Amino acid sequence: ATALPVPPERAPADISADRLAKTRLVVGFSLLSLGLLLVFGTVQLFFGSLKLAGVPFAGFVLLLANLLVLRRTGRQVLAANIIVALWTIGITSIVLRRGLLVTISTAYCVPPMLALALAGRRSGLAWLGTVAAVIVTLYRIEATIGVPFPVQLANPLTTTAIGVLLFTIGTFLLVRAHEVVKDLALREVARSSQKAAAAERRRRES
């Protein structure tokens, strides 16, 4: 039996070790993101702004729904790209209210890395281009009319510091999780090869 987070009747019998590993990574990073969003939303409630707090809490609900869709359909690449889209939209929603000069804008480096790790090279390149276009568009808007929807934070320094800390931890854990899942996939491939070799030996001996 596979360890796919989908019902057994929907899990492909011939699923590759690579796809299984990436599905586990999608689930793992989704759970990590849910935790980070809860913390960031709580920080915004106490030190930031009620308007900005709605962004991480909305992301929490949408990520949870995406996990349920993944469980129902088993479409790992689609789920991965939805995660990347939610991250990109969430960051953009904050930048539209705080401006490109705030540290949170540096979090735009995360979506392309996420796409590369969760969905593969093609998705990574596509999201790199998308994020670059978003940054250029935001720059032109801010250079022309300023921050479109300015919001004042109750405690900007505390909110920014905690936000940077959360993104740093999240990025580190993403890379670490990718290494762990890759190692697990290699072990599963090795075990499958050993089983196939043992079966071949038994066939020849019989």
Side-chain angles (χ1 to χ4, degrees), residues 95-170:
V95 172
L96 285 171
R97 292 166 172 81
R98 296 289 296 148
L100 279 170
L101 291 179
V102 299
T103 312
I104 194 71
S105 62
T106 59
Y108 273 122
C109 67
V110 174
M113 289 194 303
L114 266 181
L116 185 63
L118 301 182
R121 180 174 58 87
R122 185 176 298 179
S123 290
L125 289 173
W127 279 105
L128 178 61
T130 300
V131 168
V134 169
I135 293 172
V136 171
T137 301
L138 289 172
Y139 165 76
R140 292 181 64 85
I141 291 174
E142 198 166 329
T144 304
I145 64 173
V147 180
F149 311 104
V151 171
Q152 295 298 320
L153 302 181
N155 192 327
L157 181 60
T158 301
T159 304
T160 301
I162 295 176
V164 173
L165 180 61
L166 290 176
F167 277 113
T168 302
I169 293 172

Side-chain angles (χ1 to χ4, degrees), residues 1-53:
T2 67
L4 261 178
V6 296
E9 65 273 11
R10 294 181 180 271
D14 59 345
I15 183 171
S16 67
D18 179 66
R19 183 182 167 192
L20 180 58
K22 286 185 176 179
T23 302
R24 287 172 173 168
L25 190 59
V26 168
V27 174
F29 193 76
S30 294
L31 296 176
L32 169 64
S33 297
L34 290 174
L36 293 175
L37 288 170
L38 273 181
V39 175
F40 189 60
T42 304
V43 169
Q44 289 292 343
L45 282 176
F46 284 97
F47 302 107
S49 162
L50 287 175
K51 293 180 179 179
L52 289 184

